[in-house]
Amino acid sequence: ACKHMHFVIKGELSYNFIHVPNSSHPIEAGDALCEAVLWANWTHRGWLCVTSASCEILLLCAAQFQKVVESSAVKVYLQRYARLYVKVMLEECHDSSHMSDVWG
């Protein structure tokens, strides 16, 4: 199970989608992965490989994020966003075999 959203701070990576053999999606500084873990139960749909000499990734713990949001003044807006995020993801991906960690 996925427990963190990932933010690429430095470096280059390649995301390989588990349902598509020999797939490779370039990931670079400024990209984010696994946003879905903040809004739904999420399982990784692929894997990352570092393709540069070094890499730096910031992890946002979904459980801690949800704990902070629970007592936040923006909770109601984030709940709306979460419902919309999941709805659009399901509409665009049609089924779980088309969902990936880079969607969003």
Side-chain angles (χ1 to χ4, degrees):
C2 180
K3 296 182 181 186
H4 300 89
M5 182 173 178
H6 303 67
F7 298 90
V8 180
I9 306 301
K10 175 181 142 186
E12 296 174 356
L13 303 99
S14 174
Y15 174 81
N16 300 284
F17 185 47
I18 200 166
H19 293 291
V20 182
N22 302 316
S23 65
S24 180
H25 182 82
I27 305 294
E28 57 189 25
D31 289 341
L33 299 101
C34 305
E35 180 184 356
V37 73
L38 301 179
W39 318 118
N41 291 326
W42 189 250
T43 301
H44 288 294
R45 304 297 204 266
W47 61 92
L48 282 175
C49 296
V50 177
T51 57
S52 59
S54 65
C55 179
E56 188 174 329
I57 298 176
L58 177 99
L59 300 178
L60 174 60
C61 176
Q64 291 290 39
F65 173 81
Q66 292 161 356
K67 187 175 179 180
V68 169
V69 165
E70 188 61 34
S71 59
S72 170
V74 298
K75 176 183 173 183
V76 67
Y77 301 107
L78 291 174
Q79 287 174 326
R80 288 181 193 159
Y81 177 83
R83 285 191 295 272
L84 183 60
Y85 181 94
V86 171
K87 178 183 180 225
V88 171
M89 180 175 60
L90 292 172
E91 288 172 355
E92 288 191 9
C93 297
H94 307 290
D95 63 53
S96 63
S97 68
H98 292 93
M99 295 176 186
S100 79
D101 298 306
V102 296
W103 189 91

